């Protein structure tokens, strides 16, 4: 184990150093852009945005650091993000992480909600998980932006600790993976605690088609 | 006749798609590519050419409160010069003192030369599914088609042009909104998909050169031509952002960045999309 890390560390260091050098070079060649101007340009581009959609134009602190670091934040920033996002997670009052996998599947399929044509809402907001993840064998129309989740619970022996970790990843993926590309479904109030539990059940329940 | 053949072929393919989707991944991808090839085989069957023709008539017809044609519109190569103009856009225009892409420039000419009300033109600038492309878009399709076969060669020598590209890159990577999405969320890697839809790696010149020159493109799924401004508008819709305004500095900067990435890539407008 120790030898393994000794070999890995120099490789990682070389790769990181290389990436940093390339990044620095790129930066030298480009004119810099004032962040305040970027914000003004964005505000200006959406002049008809209703008042309640305007906050969408402004990145929060986590998104500002992720964008500025092209989603590869240095260690100190990554830790600050994790700390902040971990604090944003609210847990189920009943202490249970598994809901109804059938409703989880429904939510995983639905991409409805939060688009500017979705107001006033005509149905429940979906999680749209299949847009990016392979989840069940039955659904072949899945995206590949995220990892395959096929057999997720079975491969992890249906452990309770894993169910909690899955809940946290869906609620706020940045707590586990700073600058993850996945939406913060709980922290950004896209899905409710119960809906997230249903999706956890889809991944973690032995009865779910994910684990068949 | 040719159009009819295309539509029948497209309908057959549309029926075939669900069956293809039940096959495995690789087969699915192959099936979709075969469908694209069928549509590309005979470029004259592209329904988007009808809108290019409509755009040409609109360009040459006296219109608007001032009842003049757009033949005095300077797209960068001199008033009325359409051939090859799109290949050198976006560029800085001294009369407007800003960098403009094709649609923003046409919008400017429709406002300044023809006397149209800008607010009316940007209110609902893009067609809904099944609706024909709006007039401004048809004109853009015509102008772009007159650069088909040429390569993207915007000069980007002036400070404001360079600045637009740099701004575009920042915007491409800027995450916000309820889903925390940036353009780079979906377009900063190769070979990825949303559901079954392939996503081009637009920050990579090799992939950008392949796809950017296909816009404006006839989109089979929505049965109309979609322009680049409309493409961006639709991306922001999907990203859960508000409505992107046609001609905004943000839209021009993103297009300037994409075209820079696609520099040297061939223009084949109007293209054909799923």
């Amino acid at each position: 184990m120790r030898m393994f890390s000794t070999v890995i560390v120099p490789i990682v260091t070389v790769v990181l150093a290389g990436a940093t050098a390339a990044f620095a070079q790129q930066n030298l060649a480009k004119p810099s852009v004032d962040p305040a101007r970027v914000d003004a340009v964005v505000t200006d581009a959406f002049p008809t945005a209703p008042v309640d959609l305007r906050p969408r134009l402004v990145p929060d602190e986590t998104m500002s650091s992720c964008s500025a670091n092209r989603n590869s934040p240095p260690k100190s920033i990554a830790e600050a993000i994790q700390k902040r996002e971990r604090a944003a997670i609210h847990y189920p009052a009943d202490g249970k992480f598994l809901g109804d996998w059938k409703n989880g599947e429904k939510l995983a399929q639905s991409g409805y909600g939060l688009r500017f044509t979705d107001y006033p809402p005509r149905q429940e907001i979906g999680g749209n998980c299949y847009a990016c993840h392979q989840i069940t064998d039955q659904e072949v129309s899945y995206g590949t932006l995220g990892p395959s989740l096929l057999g997720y619970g079975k491969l992890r022996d249906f452990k309770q600790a894993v169910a909690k970790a899955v809940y946290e990843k869906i609620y706020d993926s940045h707590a586990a993976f700073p600058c993850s590309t996945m939406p913060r479904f709980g922290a950004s109030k896209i899905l409710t605690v119960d809906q997230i539990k249903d999706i956890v059940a889809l991944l973690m329940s032995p009865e779910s088609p994910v684990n068949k | 006749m040719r159009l009819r053949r295309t539509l029948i072929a497209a309908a057959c393919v549309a029926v075939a798609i669900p069956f293809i989707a039940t096959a495995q991944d690789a087969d699915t991808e192959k099936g979709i590519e075969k469908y694209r090839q069928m549509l590309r085989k005979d470029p004259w069957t592209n329904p988007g050419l009808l809108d290019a023709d409509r755009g040409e008539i609109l360009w040459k017809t006296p219109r608007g409160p001032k009842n003049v044609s757009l033949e005095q519109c300077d797209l960068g190569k001199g008033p009325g010069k359409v051939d090859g103009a799109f290949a050198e856009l976006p560029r800085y225009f001294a009369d407007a003192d800003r960098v403009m892409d094709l649609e923003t420039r046409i919008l400017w000419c429709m406002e300044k030369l023809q006397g149209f009300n800008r607010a009316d033109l940007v209110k609902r600038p893009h067609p809904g599914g099944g609706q024909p492309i709006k007039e401004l878009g048809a004109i853009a399709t015509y102008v772009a088609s007159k650069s088909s076969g040429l390569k993207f060669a915007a000069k980007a020598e002036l400070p404001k042009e360079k600045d637009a590209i740099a701004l575009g890159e920042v915007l491409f990577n800027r995450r916000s909104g309820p889903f925390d999405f940036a353009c780079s969320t979906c377009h900063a890697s190769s070979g990825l998909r949303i559901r079954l839809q392939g996503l081009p790696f637009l920050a990579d010149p090799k992939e950008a050169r392949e796809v950017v020159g296909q816009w404006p493109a006839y989109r089979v799924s929505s049965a109309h031509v979609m322009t680049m401004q409309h493409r961006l508008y639709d991306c922001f819709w999907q990203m859960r952002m508000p409505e992107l305004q046609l001609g905004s500095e943000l839209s021009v900067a993103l297009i300037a960045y994409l075209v820079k990435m696609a520099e040297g890539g061939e223009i084949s407008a109007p293209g054909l999309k799923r």
Side-chain angles (χ1 to χ4, degrees):
Chain A
M1 184 61 205
R2 181 154 289 198
M3 200 177 103
F4 184 64
S5 352
T6 324
V7 176
I8 293 287
V9 168
I11 293 174
V12 170
T13 315
V14 168
V15 170
L16 282 180
T20 314
F23 191 70
Q25 252 180 3
Q26 268 187 346
N27 270 358
L28 281 178
K30 278 171 203 150
S32 66
V33 185
D34 173 19
R37 184 180 155 226
V38 175
D39 292 346
V41 165
V42 173
T43 306
D44 198 49
F46 301 93
T48 60
V51 174
D52 47 343
L53 264 56
R54 295 212 173 173
R56 298 182 182 195
L57 306 177
V58 187
D60 68 2
E61 205 181 342
T62 294
M63 280 310 113
S64 291
S65 6
C66 290
S67 303
N69 291 288
R70 298 291 191 265
N71 301 315
S72 303
K75 196 161 170 273
S76 61
I77 294 179
E79 283 169 358
I81 290 170
Q82 276 184 294
K83 195 178 162 202
R84 187 185 312 122
E85 300 304 321
R86 188 160 288 283
I89 300 178
H90 291 238
Y91 290 89
D94 61 5
K96 292 185 176 128
F97 294 105
L98 268 65
D100 169 12
W101 72 260
K102 284 180 186 158
N103 195 48
E105 164 69 12
K106 213 176 87 193
L107 292 163
Q109 288 282 2
S110 169
Y112 182 85
L114 301 173
R115 297 166 297 204
F116 57 72
T117 49
D118 292 339
Y119 296 91
R122 295 179 298 279
Q123 63 185 77
E124 188 178 46
I125 296 173
N128 210 11
C129 315
Y130 281 105
C132 301
H133 296 280
Q134 180 181 30
I135 304 173
T136 58
D137 263 334
Q138 288 79 2
E139 180 53 87
V140 294
S141 172
Y142 59 84
T144 55
L145 284 157
S148 169
L149 304 173
L150 210 55
Y152 196 93
K154 197 177 174 184
L155 291 169
R156 290 160 181 83
D157 300 324
F158 304 110
K159 284 186 185 122
Q160 167 77 7
V162 176
K164 178 173 181 268
V166 171
Y167 177 89
E168 289 168 341
K169 281 174 190 164
I170 299 170
Y171 200 101
D172 193 327
S173 55
H174 298 260
F177 309 115
C179 298
S180 148
T181 49
M182 191 162 103
R184 293 170 280 183
F185 287 98
S188 298
K189 299 194 166 32
I190 301 161
L191 299 174
T192 64
V193 166
D194 284 336
Q195 287 174 318
I196 294 173
K197 283 168 69 174
D198 292 345
I199 297 170
V200 174
L202 177 67
L203 298 181
M204 291 301 295
S205 164
E207 287 77 44
S208 160
V210 167
N211 300 310
K212 292 291 175 192
Chain B
M1 185 56 209
R2 283 205 158 146
L3 174 68
R4 209 168 127 199
R5 217 171 52 202
T6 313
L7 295 178
I8 291 168
C12 294
V13 173
V15 170
I17 288 288
F19 295 99
I20 292 167
T22 57
Q24 284 307 302
D25 245 22
D27 289 346
T28 306
E29 206 39 60
K30 266 186 227 159
I32 293 171
E33 190 45 43
K34 193 177 170 194
Y35 160 55
R36 291 196 186 110
Q37 277 171 11
M38 280 170 70
L39 290 169
R40 274 187 212 135
K41 224 172 201 170
D42 184 352
W44 290 105
T45 59
N46 184 341
L49 290 171
L50 295 172
D51 288 304
D53 286 350
R54 193 175 128 230
E56 181 174 10
I57 294 165
L58 288 164
W59 175 269
K60 292 175 176 170
T61 306
R63 291 172 359 104
K66 295 185 185 171
N67 199 37
V68 293
S69 79
L70 286 169
E71 286 161 305
Q72 286 306 304
C73 176
D74 185 353
L75 297 168
K77 295 170 78 76
K81 293 235 188 310
V82 173
D83 286 354
F86 177 60
E88 293 174 25
L89 292 169
R91 69 195 298 161
Y92 173 76
F93 289 90
D95 53 9
D97 189 28
R98 61 177 290 211
V99 176
M100 292 169 152
D101 69 304
L102 173 59
E103 290 162 81
T104 305
R105 186 59 182 173
I106 294 169
L107 173 68
W108 194 88
C109 286
M110 287 175 80
E111 182 192 357
K112 303 292 176 189
L113 299 181
Q114 297 184 309
F116 283 109
N117 183 346
R118 184 190 162 90
D120 293 341
L121 292 172
V122 299
K123 198 174 178 191
R124 291 194 188 282
H126 310 301
Q131 300 296 312
I133 192 167
K134 304 278 174 98
E135 289 171 344
L136 195 158
I139 296 166
T141 307
Y142 158 63
V143 174
S145 75
K146 287 292 184 181
S147 286
S148 211
L150 300 177
K151 291 184 161 69
F152 278 119
K155 289 196 177 69
E157 284 165 350
L158 301 172
K160 288 203 176 176
E161 292 169 343
K162 288 182 182 165
D163 174 72
I165 294 165
L167 176 63
E169 195 203 2
V170 172
L171 293 164
F172 187 84
N173 290 285
R174 185 182 188 271
R175 300 176 67 173
S176 78
F179 281 12
D180 299 330
F181 286 168
C183 308
S184 60
T185 305
C186 292
H187 297 290
S189 289
S190 205
L192 300 177
R193 309 185 317 229
I194 293 182
R195 290 277 184 163
L196 293 179
Q197 179 60 45
L199 299 160
F201 180 4
L202 295 171
D204 174 45
K206 190 177 158 283
E207 287 193 36
R209 281 196 290 263
E210 279 170 28
V211 297
V212 177
Q214 293 173 19
W215 301 94
Y218 183 79
R219 224 175 171 222
V220 177
S221 59
S222 47
H224 58 218
V225 172
M226 190 180 225
T227 63
M228 184 54 100
Q229 285 271 349
H230 188 188
R231 180 56 275 179
L232 296 182
Y233 172 94
D234 216 44
C235 278
F236 280 103
W237 170 78
Q238 196 64 271
M239 289 159 73
R240 275 69 180 175
M241 292 290 278
E243 287 190 76
L244 176 67
Q245 183 145 91
L246 191 151
S248 57
E249 192 178 356
L250 179 149
S251 66
V252 174
L254 277 177
I255 292 170
Y257 173 66
L258 293 177
V259 169
K260 180 66 186 172
M261 289 296 106
E263 192 174 16
E266 192 176 314
I267 295 162
S268 56
L272 269 165
K273 292 283 179 184
R274 62 166 170 105

